[in-house]
Amino acid sequence: MMTSRIRTYTTLSVATVALFALTLLVLSHGPLAARAQNKPPAQPQTQERGIERDMREQKAQDATRALGLVQTLPGKAKRYALIIGVDQYNDPQVTGLAAASNDARLLADALVRYAGFPADQVVLLTSNRSTDWQPTRGNILRKLSNIASVVPKDGLLLFSFAGHGIERNEQAFLLPSDAQVSDDVNLLEQTAINVVQIKDWVRKTGVGQVLLLLDACRNDPSAGRAAADNPLSKTYMRGFNFDVRNREVQAFATLYATEVGRRAYERRDPRHGYFTLALVEGLKGEAVNERGEVTLAALVKYLQDNVPRRVALDLGQGRVQKPFAVVEGYRADELVLSVKDPKAAAAADTLLTATAAPAQPAAATPAEAPTSSRAEELPLEGGLAGTSWTGTSAELLDGEYTVEFLKDGKLNYSFNRIVNGQRERTTVKGTWRQVESFVQITVGNSYSVWQGKLDGGIIKGTTSNVEGVKGEFLLLKKSP
């Protein structure tokens, strides 16, 4: 069984006469921590020693740069992500999952809120979305192809998969919603997605930086074996490793929900995987350093410290889940993934708690509530006219709703519900007002009022309704 680790390289501040040779040794044989026992004796602190120390640290930094380790992510405009969550499978032989779609939505939201990804460059495929956004094999490959055609070579591509995986004849596969599970590798090749195929797609983009998040090792996907473990294997790991030395990519990091030989678990309340919950918490600021930054190394440490503890507390003795990461080409202790925003951190996370979701209007709304004096001062409309936005709510049937900003300050709020046993699209009328970046939305006959701030492809703020229920909302702009 492989232990948790980050394969990356850190600056040394101890005296050494062979810094570069030691760095190469780390490259060849794994983590530095295992060799940290052989430090030279501490030297008395003198002015000369201080100067020598500064020179040594400078040489160490020069050696790091000489190795070509990447210390920063590309600019925000060059970050693209494909996020996949598969709960429901067409093949009756495959047991369903409870939290994969929730995990995907939560992660997509966190990338936009905390990690600087443009909302229209985060592509989300989940089981509870419309046909074009279902996690089928064709949709996954199509969206990956589309991203490959636009991501710049000096950009970043993030690929995340939450769902079932399977291994046959030492080949690893991710299972899209329309996969057919079989011992016949030929059938799997035609209906599932070989992890090598994902790697080839990514490599062919020519993109320099890649982040991979894999949570595919849950219960056994075969029907009747839902309680059996489906552990992460070395075959999966090999499939997601890139050759940095031969410049397949400049740098990559793969974060696994659990270590080789173990499975990953889902939490019942809220319905999320332990891995994704901790990952989003870390990005949000729980893994922040004294400068208000969340580095790759700090995020991995947060996962490794918190996931095993929570699994043990919730599920009991014998349930072990230990996330780990493989990092090549990045200087993980300096690579900043997110910066803590005090205002964003103070707001309740809309996807972590049901109370934080926007109130769902009924088809017939209560009597009109008084509008605020602030609303009366606002002009009827602004630059939002003609645009559509999406949000998520745990209270809705499919977890997603749409807000259309129409002309003349009118608005459509649409969501799915069950009427007489049938799925039905329901649209509630409303109004909206905007002045500069301030936006106010009124849903129904003043049943629910939302007030928020427009920031590029995001509108986020607070909600309240006539019943006194309050919460937060986040809208992401839909592509034209």
Side-chain angles (χ1 to χ4, degrees):
M1 178 178 69
M2 183 173 294
T3 57
S4 301
R5 71 199 192 285
I6 305 179
R7 284 163 42 197
T8 187
Y9 322 109
T10 56
T11 302
L12 304 180
S13 58
V14 296
T16 178
V17 295
L19 175 63
F20 192 72
L22 179 58
T23 307
L24 290 178
L25 182 61
V26 175
L27 279 167
S28 303
H29 298 286
L32 178 64
R35 300 168 183 81
Q37 308 297 329
N38 300 322
K39 292 184 178 180
Q43 297 292 338
Q45 181 64 38
T46 65
Q47 183 179 8
E48 181 180 9
R49 286 293 180 187
I51 294 173
E52 290 179 356
R53 185 182 66 248
D54 291 343
M55 293 177 64
R56 288 196 303 271
E57 290 176 351
Q58 182 61 49
K59 289 180 180 179
Q61 293 173 7
D62 292 342
T64 297
R65 284 191 289 269
L67 288 170
L69 299 185
V70 176
Q71 296 172 274
T72 59
L73 293 178
K76 294 181 179 181
K78 298 180 179 181
R79 302 178 188 181
Y80 291 78
L82 176 57
I83 313 298
I84 301 163
V86 193
D87 285 326
Q88 302 166 18
Y89 288 87
N90 300 341
D91 187 347
Q93 297 183 78
V94 183
T95 57
L97 295 169
S101 291
N102 289 345
D103 284 350
R105 291 198 305 272
L106 184 65
L107 176 61
D109 176 72
L111 292 180
V112 175
R113 283 199 188 195
Y114 313 120
F117 281 73
D120 59 352
Q121 292 174 194
V122 176
V123 179
L124 177 65
L125 303 179
T126 59
S127 293
N128 54 11
R129 297 196 71 185
S130 59
T131 302
D132 290 343
W133 303 96
Q134 288 276 323
T136 62
R137 185 176 190 269
N139 283 347
I140 291 172
L141 295 180
R142 168 59 68 183
K143 301 304 182 185
L144 190 55
S145 175
N146 292 347
I147 292 176
S149 67
V150 296
V151 61
K153 303 211 181 289
D154 59 346
L156 167 68
L157 174 58
L158 185 149
F159 177 87
S160 173
F161 183 89
H164 277 308
I166 196 171
E167 184 178 337
R168 292 290 187 268
N169 292 355
E170 298 187 353
Q171 295 187 64
F173 299 88
L174 301 179
L175 299 186
S177 60
D178 54 350
Q180 297 294 309
V181 174
S182 171
D183 290 333
D184 184 352
V185 175
N186 290 328
L187 179 58
L188 283 173
E189 288 282 3
Q190 298 300 317
T191 63
I193 302 177
N194 195 311
V195 297
V196 175
Q197 191 175 10
I198 297 291
K199 177 180 174 180
D200 288 343
W201 272 99
V202 174
R203 188 175 62 242
K204 288 175 182 177
T205 68
V207 67
Q209 298 186 38
V210 179
L211 297 179
L212 303 170
L213 308 176
L214 185 65
D215 193 0
C217 304
R218 301 170 185 248
N219 54 286
D220 192 293
S222 301
R225 301 191 61 201
D229 284 349
N230 177 37
L232 178 70
S233 68
K234 292 183 178 180
T235 300
Y236 268 94
M237 283 188 56
R238 288 194 298 270
F240 285 101
N241 286 347
F242 292 88
D243 189 340
V244 173
R245 297 188 190 103
N246 289 329
R247 293 296 178 182
E248 284 189 331
V249 295
Q250 185 182 8
F252 81 94
T254 306
L255 275 62
Y256 296 91
T258 190
E259 64 186 352
V260 171
R262 298 286 185 180
R263 66 168 286 188
Y265 296 94
E266 294 182 326
R267 189 174 184 176
R268 291 185 178 180
D269 184 22
R271 284 193 177 276
H272 285 291
Y274 287 91
F275 174 73
T276 299
L277 276 176
L279 180 70
V280 170
E281 288 173 356
L283 288 173
K284 185 178 180 181
E286 293 300 319
V288 74
N289 60 21
E290 65 279 1
R291 296 187 299 275
E293 301 168 340
V294 178
T295 65
L296 176 57
L299 179 62
V300 173
K301 184 178 186 303
Y302 183 81
L303 291 169
Q304 293 175 336
D305 289 346
N306 286 275
V307 172
R309 176 178 57 83
R310 292 177 183 175
V311 169
L313 284 173
D314 289 353
L315 305 181
Q317 188 175 7
R319 305 287 185 171
V320 180
Q321 180 178 342
K322 296 180 179 180
F324 79 106
V326 175
V327 181
E328 297 283 2
Y330 278 125
R331 185 172 170 78
D333 57 341
E334 292 187 6
L335 186 76
V336 177
L337 300 180
S338 68
V339 178
K340 186 173 182 178
D341 179 355
K343 293 181 180 179
D349 194 329
T350 59
L351 296 179
L352 280 174
T353 60
T355 57
Q360 177 182 341
T365 56
E368 181 174 352
T371 57
S372 67
S373 58
R374 171 66 173 164
E376 295 298 331
E377 298 172 0
L378 297 178
L380 282 178
E381 63 176 80
L384 291 173
T387 63
S388 295
W389 301 65
T390 61
T392 56
S393 169
E395 297 178 353
L396 297 179
L397 175 63
D398 292 328
E400 186 175 287
Y401 59 88
T402 300
V403 175
E404 298 177 84
F405 293 94
L406 308 177
K407 294 181 179 180
D408 301 323
K410 296 179 180 179
L411 175 143
N412 286 337
Y413 173 93
S414 303
F415 58 95
N416 289 331
R417 63 176 181 169
I418 297 296
V419 178
N420 297 326
Q422 300 294 321
R423 184 186 301 270
E424 180 180 283
R425 189 68 172 173
T426 299
T427 298
V428 178
K429 301 294 183 180
T431 60
W432 64 279
R433 302 170 186 267
Q434 177 186 3
V435 58
E436 297 181 349
S437 62
F438 181 85
V439 179
Q440 184 177 71
I441 298 171
T442 302
V443 179
N445 188 20
S446 297
Y447 173 75
S448 176
V449 178
W450 309 5
Q451 299 190 55
K453 184 177 180 180
L454 172 65
D455 184 8
I458 303 174
I459 304 174
K460 60 182 177 181
T462 60
T463 69
S464 62
N465 64 23
V466 295
E467 298 173 3
V469 178
K470 298 181 179 180
E472 279 78 31
F473 73 93
L474 174 72
L475 296 178
L476 304 179
K477 187 176 182 181
K478 296 179 66 176
S479 300

